[in-house]
Amino acid sequence: MMYYSRLRMASVIGVCLIGLALCLPNVIRQPMASLPWRQIHLGLDLRGGSYLLLQVDMNSVTADRLRGLQDETRQTLLKNSLGYRNLTTSAHGVTFTPRTPEEAQPDIRALRAMPMNVPGEFRVEQAEGGQITLTLSEEAARQRSYDAVTQSIEIVRRRIDATGAIDPEITRQGDDRIIVELPGISDPERVKNLLGTTAKMTFHLVADSAIGSSVPPPGVELLPMTDGQSKLPVFSHVDVDGADLTNASASIDQQSGEWAVNFTFDSTGAQEFGDVTRANVGKRFAIVLDNKVIEAPVIRTAITGGSGQITGGFSAQQATDMALLLRAGALPAPLNVIEQRSIGPSLGADSIRAGGYSLAAGFVLVIAFMALFYGRFGWYANIALLANLVLMTAILSLFEATLTLPGMAGMLLTLGMAVDANILINERIREEVGRGRSALQAMQAGFERATGTIVDSNATALLAHVMLFVFGTGPVRGFALTITIGIVTTLFTTLLLSRMLMVRWYARTRPSALPV
Amino acid sequence: MMFDRPLLRFVPRGTKINFMRGRFIGLATSAVLSIASLILFFHPGLTLGLDFRGGIVVEARTQGPADFNAIRAALAAQHVSAAGVQSFGGPDDVLIRLDTPPDSEPDHEARTQAMVDSVRHAIGTLPGAQVLRADAVGASVSKELFRNGMLALGISLLMILAYIWFRFEWEFAVSAVVTLILDLTKAIGFLVITHFEFDLVMVAAILTILGYSTNDKVVVYDRVRENLRKYRTMPLAELIDLSINETLSRTLGTSSTVFLAALPLALFGGASLSGFAWVMLFGIVVGTSSSIFIAAPLLLLMGERRLRRDARPPTRT
């Protein structure tokens, strides 16, 4: 208890020095690119910016897959010369009635042989009444939603990068959510609009014969125009898919002087586009974005160059954004914003100032208190406190943690609580001195008895904050993280560093009485 | 050397205050306060913050003192009705709040998010006004945040119970957790009276004061356990009194440092942190006094027969 080997002393001091070195990246510039340079990031609440929580619309992912499954079922049955009645899609699966009860077994055999995206994607079963049902499995649903989120994150990243945002953070949260953090963007309206658009572009032929009829014939859909006023009947069949685009850009059309979006297809798309336009000269071709018709120009000649132009009466911003969306690609499912928080830069600066001053004032008060009430050993505790602050900063830098406003409060509270261990030791030593022990015995007893108490009391606090970290979100997690790290550094600085200072002082001076 | 000896001393050496004599007064006061807090909790109830209530909050700064009529008119022009507009901080700061549309409406999530943009546009029409902060939390997220906050609280209490049970005997664990629950109710009463908004940051504050309060109890209990081994025949009441007196100086010392650390934050920490810090300050006072006046008497009541009769050395792992 009262002896510190050279090695032990060197390691305690070494840890503190390493801590000090790790703090450097927060205050000075990186001298060499090869040096690892990790620093604490400021949270959005301190630097200003926006936080968006997006939810992927899984219902639409499932609905898409079921629609595909219904198509495949129809084609499979027809290919095998099997008949069906009442082929429908419900929320859970695809259902139909076989033409005759005898055909049920061949139906099931044929359907089970259909290709699956993942093994065991769907089950084919016959119900009591003779109906045959195809149901998607839970397993496959999970896989599908995982893929949809992964793909969405990629598209979201491309779209946000294209807006020129600095240091955006895009992360997956839970099963179907995406967190987007945009430092420095305090008005996220444009980003919200960009992310709120699926941007699925398709080209369809217009069903001229159905114009004016309110109930479209089979294979034809009534789609709204983007002006929201009228509807246009188009064939459901997708002639060319916007997924085959390689590039899109906004420019001013030379002839009309209007803003337009130019697009270029890859070779597949160019081939299809050429074929369709050649075969349908004189007909109208609808450009559909997210189930809305942007425009439906008449095809004058075959377009074989693989590029085209959309003029939909856009403003400059609309044309730029649409080009951006087409370049970045379509989202696999709609994204809905369910939480947004944005903070202007001036408020962040105010918070840093208020938090910083309070932190400094609290620190000074604690130091003064310890010096006044505990004398020399109080100063040792203060040195340990300073080391504690350095080590906390070091570990937070090492993790490249994000410092939030509650996190700053957490640091302050840690410092207030950190001296508890020193107080416990000092009070214990005082008691032992009061009982008439010698200086050496009193210090020994103080360290020994107080250690158990210190570990116990810190362990309970640690438990509470680990829970907070697990269940908390956003800034509160920052708070829990700082306190958790703070408890660990507190144990180190009090149980090792301040004790070492006290022991060294004793070994140097061999006092007959302790300054308590 | 002038810094060698302490200049001040908190508690005179060797106090012999008879805390246990006042145990019923302590317990009764605590019971009354906690019951009052519970009544306040049901009526008028906590002011839920944005995290737990959902809706939107926009903080804006106007040029010169805020003109509420102009702001309301600007909001009405953007079809934002039933907006709560109130002053906040300085004379040129305003806070605009809106609740989420009812859950029954299919597009309530989208409308919650769209309201923020409408409010932004309204602020944009006022000369020189700027948006400082704009938050929107949908109904599903707020329910989830609330559930997670309560889970964090509940599980922390259970883990504290388990830890103390493991390290001490069950009388210690149960009296500590009962005391913590009493502390918790008082903190809630404090929140109701002060109208501080109850949100995730407040859950963090409450968890912190629970952690602090436990810490304080562990120190006293530790001493009780030590003295149980040391003085095998001393009556429990006397033994608990002795333990409290022996640790009194430390108890007051630590609560003072934490109090001092949090005080500047409460006074100057700015709108978002001062509520948090006030709850902390309240919790420090409550947590410190409950160690002496609640946790210790409860231990006495529960352990009077058992802890003394066995007189076996308490397990120390």
Side-chain angles (χ1 to χ4, degrees):
Chain A
M1 275 292 165
M2 289 298 288
Y3 174 72
Y4 268 65
S5 69
R6 276 180 190 284
L7 181 67
R8 195 152 165 221
M9 270 183 351
S11 25
V12 171
I13 295 172
V15 167
C16 293
L17 290 180
I18 291 172
L20 204 58
L22 286 172
C23 290
L24 285 181
N26 296 301
V27 280
I28 58 171
R29 282 176 181 284
Q30 186 168 15
M32 277 184 295
S34 57
L35 272 179
W37 212 246
R38 289 163 167 267
Q39 61 185 62
I40 298 178
H41 295 290
L42 288 185
L44 293 181
D45 54 350
L46 294 176
R47 70 193 288 200
S50 293
Y51 165 101
L52 298 174
L53 182 61
L54 305 162
Q55 184 149 30
V56 181
D57 185 352
M58 286 304 164
N59 288 337
S60 111
V61 179
T62 310
D64 269 358
R65 180 63 192 122
L66 283 174
R67 210 172 304 131
L69 200 59
Q70 183 181 348
D71 253 15
E72 286 164 33
T73 303
R74 180 189 296 120
Q75 282 162 16
T76 308
L77 293 177
L78 289 177
K79 205 163 62 196
N80 290 289
S81 320
L82 296 161
Y84 58 86
R85 278 182 289 130
N86 304 331
L87 177 64
T88 53
T89 302
S90 68
H92 304 290
V94 176
T95 315
F96 70 94
T97 314
R99 188 164 47 192
T100 60
E102 291 74 43
E103 274 188 9
Q105 281 316 312
D107 279 349
I108 293 175
R109 257 200 308 281
L111 293 175
R112 283 192 178 149
M114 288 197 305
M116 297 191 182
N117 290 342
V118 282
E121 191 191 8
F122 52 82
R123 285 192 314 275
V124 187
E125 284 158 333
Q126 188 170 26
E128 299 256 325
Q131 280 192 329
I132 292 175
T133 310
L134 290 86
T135 25
L136 294 171
S137 72
E138 285 288 314
E139 180 79 11
R142 250 195 307 280
Q143 183 63 40
R144 206 166 31 247
S145 61
Y146 185 86
D147 292 344
V149 175
T150 310
Q151 216 179 331
S152 299
I153 288 177
E154 184 51 39
I155 306 286
V156 165
R157 191 184 309 280
R158 273 192 241 155
R159 289 186 185 178
I160 288 176
D161 283 345
T163 65
I166 297 156
D167 294 340
E169 291 246 8
I170 299 153
T171 41
R172 174 191 289 270
Q173 196 214 36
D175 290 335
D176 56 357
R177 290 181 181 171
I178 300 170
I179 293 175
V180 175
E181 287 177 286
L182 304 163
I185 295 182
S186 53
D187 183 358
E189 194 178 348
R190 178 170 176 228
V191 173
K192 266 185 353 186
N193 289 340
L194 284 178
L195 298 183
T197 313
T198 313
K200 192 170 164 50
M201 189 165 77
T202 46
F203 296 80
H204 304 251
L205 284 169
V206 175
D208 286 315
S209 58
I211 286 179
S213 66
S214 56
V215 183
V220 174
E221 287 175 75
L222 264 183
L223 293 182
M225 303 285 292
T226 34
D227 60 15
Q229 314 231 316
S230 52
K231 289 191 168 183
L232 191 71
V234 301
F235 288 105
S236 304
H237 178 72
V238 175
D239 287 298
V240 187
D241 196 324
D244 297 329
L245 286 179
T246 55
N247 198 12
S249 62
S251 67
I252 294 182
D253 182 43
Q254 295 299 326
Q255 284 145 28
S256 63
E258 267 185 70
W259 276 94
V261 176
N262 303 298
F263 56 87
T264 318
F265 280 110
D266 61 12
S267 54
T268 328
Q271 179 75 46
E272 281 174 1
F273 202 61
D275 291 348
V276 175
T277 47
R278 191 176 303 112
N280 294 286
V281 171
K283 291 190 182 151
R284 290 173 74 195
F285 205 30
I287 304 170
V288 178
L289 188 76
D290 293 339
N291 285 322
K292 282 186 185 151
V293 180
I294 298 176
E295 60 167 352
V298 175
I299 302 169
R300 295 187 203 289
T301 58
I303 304 169
T304 50
S307 62
Q309 193 182 54
I310 312 171
T311 49
F314 302 124
S315 68
Q317 181 79 62
Q318 280 170 329
T320 316
D321 283 353
M322 182 181 289
L324 185 159
L325 290 172
L326 292 179
R327 275 199 308 275
L331 288 167
L335 288 178
N336 301 314
V337 179
I338 51 173
E339 183 185 352
Q340 59 172 316
R341 293 172 192 262
S342 38
I343 289 152
S346 60
L347 194 64
D350 283 355
S351 301
I352 292 189
R353 206 171 313 123
Y357 285 153
S358 310
L359 197 78
F363 194 68
V364 169
L365 285 176
V366 172
I367 284 192
F369 179 93
M370 288 305 284
L372 282 177
F373 285 85
Y374 293 97
R376 172 179 290 276
F377 288 168
W379 280 109
Y380 290 161
N382 287 338
I383 294 173
L385 200 61
L386 211 59
N388 199 343
L389 187 64
V390 166
L391 288 179
M392 264 168 81
T393 313
I395 296 181
L396 287 171
S397 312
L398 207 59
F399 285 170
E400 302 200 302
T402 305
L403 183 68
T404 59
L405 206 50
M408 278 169 96
M411 275 177 118
L412 189 56
L413 289 171
T414 305
L415 298 180
M417 290 287 286
V419 289
D420 179 48
N422 288 102
I423 293 180
L424 275 168
I425 295 172
N426 280 311
E427 291 293 343
R428 194 74 207 210
I429 294 176
R430 254 183 208 176
E431 264 182 68
E432 300 298 329
V433 167
R435 290 201 178 109
R437 302 271 178 99
S438 72
L440 180 68
Q441 282 173 326
M443 282 177 74
Q444 234 162 0
F447 293 145
E448 213 165 312
R449 298 262 165 78
T451 304
T453 314
I454 292 170
V455 171
D456 272 342
S457 58
N458 280 295
T460 44
L462 195 64
L463 285 179
H465 289 102
V466 169
M467 282 304 108
L468 192 59
F469 184 76
V470 173
F471 290 100
T473 40
V476 173
R477 274 173 82 105
F479 171 81
L481 181 69
T482 351
I483 294 212
T484 306
I485 292 173
I487 290 171
V488 176
T489 54
T490 298
L491 287 177
F492 175 82
T493 51
T494 50
L495 292 184
L496 290 170
L497 178 65
S498 65
R499 181 189 292 181
M500 183 184 90
L501 293 172
M502 291 162 80
V503 167
R504 288 298 303 155
W505 168 80
Y506 181 84
R508 218 171 44 240
T509 58
R510 299 274 160 193
S512 54
L514 293 175
V516 291
Chain B
M1 180 173 159
M2 70 173 288
F3 291 130
D4 212 35
R5 290 197 164 269
L7 294 173
L8 298 172
R9 187 172 271 273
F10 237 113
V11 184
R13 191 168 295 180
T15 50
K16 288 201 173 58
I17 307 169
N18 194 343
F19 290 108
M20 285 308 103
R21 203 168 50 193
R23 64 183 183 273
F24 292 111
I25 303 172
L27 285 175
T29 315
S30 169
V32 169
L33 286 177
S34 286
I35 290 170
S37 296
L38 279 181
I39 294 172
L40 286 172
F41 174 69
F42 287 109
H43 186 84
L46 286 167
T47 316
L48 288 187
L50 182 71
D51 290 348
F52 296 156
R53 197 194 57 220
I56 77 162
V57 170
V58 175
E59 212 179 298
R61 184 164 290 165
T62 51
Q63 205 170 36
D67 178 354
F68 288 90
N69 288 329
I71 296 168
R72 288 211 179 84
L75 287 170
Q78 294 290 333
H79 308 291
V80 178
S81 54
V85 184
Q86 63 190 85
S87 68
F88 165 79
D92 48 357
D93 285 349
V94 287
L95 202 65
I96 298 161
R97 297 164 181 282
L98 289 164
D99 284 331
T100 48
D103 279 13
S104 49
E105 293 177 26
D107 58 344
H108 67 98
E109 293 280 357
R111 277 176 50 202
T112 306
Q113 303 303 324
M115 281 193 304
V116 171
D117 298 323
S118 308
V119 173
R120 265 185 200 283
H121 296 157
I123 303 286
T125 62
L126 299 168
Q130 52 167 333
V131 173
L132 299 179
R133 183 168 74 99
D135 297 347
V137 177
S140 60
V141 173
S142 63
K143 280 188 194 118
E144 215 177 280
L145 290 176
F146 186 74
R147 202 195 56 214
N148 284 347
M150 294 305 109
L151 262 179
L153 269 179
I155 294 180
S156 298
L157 276 175
L158 282 180
M159 293 191 71
I160 290 171
L161 178 81
Y163 185 83
I164 301 183
W165 201 322
F166 171 69
R167 293 288 282 166
F168 295 85
E169 301 196 16
W170 70 266
E171 288 88 351
F172 291 89
V174 173
S175 36
V177 169
V178 170
T179 314
L180 285 184
I181 292 172
L182 290 172
D183 285 1
L184 179 68
T185 54
K186 293 183 190 82
I188 289 170
F190 180 74
L191 283 177
V192 177
I193 292 176
T194 52
H195 292 291
F196 286 134
E197 291 193 350
F198 184 62
D199 54 15
L200 268 182
V201 174
M202 281 303 174
V203 171
I206 288 176
L207 268 174
T208 310
I209 61 180
L210 289 186
Y212 170 76
S213 182
T214 315
N215 176 10
D216 211 50
K217 277 141 199 72
V218 166
V219 171
V220 177
Y221 283 175
D222 220 43
R223 188 55 71 97
V224 171
R225 182 169 61 183
E226 190 184 321
N227 285 339
L228 275 173
R229 265 172 292 179
K230 208 147 119 195
Y231 308 103
R232 301 238 159 192
T233 52
M234 189 187 282
L236 191 59
E238 209 176 301
L239 187 134
I240 291 179
D241 262 340
L242 175 73
S243 310
I244 296 177
N245 276 298
E246 282 176 345
T247 51
L248 193 60
S249 184
R250 173 268 156 196
T251 304
L252 295 179
T254 299
S255 18
S256 309
T257 53
V258 186
F259 197 90
L260 286 176
L263 190 64
L265 209 57
L267 297 176
F268 317 111
S272 34
L273 281 187
S274 74
F276 172 90
W278 281 116
V279 174
M280 284 291 315
L281 293 178
F282 177 81
I284 294 163
V285 175
V286 168
T288 309
S289 46
S290 73
S291 305
I292 298 172
F293 297 110
I294 316 298
L298 279 178
L299 184 64
L300 179 59
L301 287 180
M302 270 189 275
E304 197 144 30
R305 300 228 182 80
R306 234 185 68 92
L307 288 176
R308 236 1 349 168
R309 192 196 53 206
D310 305 356
R312 69 183 161 93
T315 44
R316 166 112 202 184
T317 43

